[in-house]
Amino acid sequence: MIEGTICTPETVDKIGCYGNALVCVNQQGLIASVLFPNNSQYGEIKQTAISQGNYHQLAADEYLLPGYVDLHVHAPQWPQAGLALDLPLADWLDHYTFPLESKCSDLNYSKTIYDSLVKELLSQGTTTALMFGTIYNDSNIILAKACLEYGLRGFIGQVAMDNADQTPAYYRNQSAKDAIDATELFIKQLQKLSNDADRVVPVITPRFVPSCSDACLQGLGQLANKYNVPVQTHVSESSWEHGYVLDRFKATDTSVLDQFGLLTDRTILMHATHLTDDDMDLLAKREAALAHCPISNAYFGNGVMRVKEILAKQIKLGLGTDISGGYSSSIYHNIRQAVISSRMLEDGVDTTKQATTRGVANSRINIATAFYMATVGGAEALHLNTGRIKEGYKADFQVVKSHPSVITLSDEQMIERILYQTQQSDIKQVYIDGNLVYCKD
């Protein structure tokens, strides 16, 4: 049991803050109840928890928030976070990223970087992460084992990339069959690795359309239908990538993925800065989800995701760090950048144009919406009952210390400040399924 002030998303643009809450967790790692002092059983339940040694009271300057869901992490890219972000996407992949990922053929190297990454994500308040691995099956298993060892809930993809025109000879699947067989093997191995069905989950992962042959995409779509597991890939990510797909297929990424059976209600698509209106309608129809990676998009997206329009169409939408296209492993940093980018989209950036014509009207979001995407949005994308501090939800929490204030702030004002100012050092504890997986002190 945890007692203290809780802050939880209530709607897409409203955060609820409640003091003196008793958050009770059952043996299955679910929130059994959330009680307040006006409940007749509040005192009795509290005293029972104290006598059983199951009680933890937050300090006055600590707040209980849901754990974050990071919908886009390139696990093998962790060593280069914050490097070479001045390059165009294609150059960045060819000269930095593909060589780095190929190092994961060394399993000792893989263990070193994956242990570091998983512990880093937990220390940033992330409790669930959707991750790209590499083309190397054994390396991806090491990533899954790191998640199990340290407690992170991991959705992990065996990357498929067989198109010789767009991938280097030293780092690609040798054929479409090789990519498809490796993906299926990984699905079977991961499903046997843990008795907990959502602790480590295999994800079908065509790197993106340019990296894959038609036969590869077709085979992966058949696997998605056979196993009903999640699918992840980049979509309409940049001017180059978007244009490549249009030239090759005379259709957008979204339509191409749908053609190959890869657009399902368990599909999560990253970036999406160049979506068309028809793309959005198709995504809504298929009940697919999107991952907004605002920091990475600022470097490689050649545009700003139209978050307000996407949410208005009832498309599931979460946040991702996109390590290492994004320099930070913190969802907090991406919450802030999501708000910043939306304001730049609304206001426009070319001051040689009139203010009334240079932006996209009604585009800005508030910090509550970004918080919703970091919690509920990501959870819904992965079909998880987490992201809220509410009865029946998974007990995935972070305890965050607020910064001192020289003025009196309400709890609602304090959570706004927390979302804008929290750094890694302010995150005191992290719980997943009610188990303490990170403690700063």
Side-chain angles (χ1 to χ4, degrees), residues 85-89 237-238 271-274 292-305 320-322 324-327 333-334 336-338 340-342 344 349:
L85 296 176
D86 57 323
L87 294 177
L89 177 60
E237 179 179 0
S238 66
H271 303 297
T273 55
H274 290 65
H292 183 25
C293 308
I295 291 178
S296 174
N297 290 348
Y299 291 101
F300 297 119
N302 305 129
V304 177
M305 179 188 268
T321 57
D322 191 25
S324 65
Y327 59 79
H333 291 182
N334 282 275
R336 297 158 201 161
Q337 185 63 45
I340 293 168
S341 293
S342 75
M344 295 179 74
V349 296

Side-chain angles (χ1 to χ4, degrees), residues 180-198:
I180 295 161
D181 289 348
T183 298
E184 186 165 26
L185 174 63
F186 182 68
I187 291 171
K188 291 178 178 178
Q189 288 181 316
L190 215 57
Q191 288 178 338
K192 293 179 180 178
L193 195 60
S194 172
N195 293 326
D196 188 338
D198 66 13

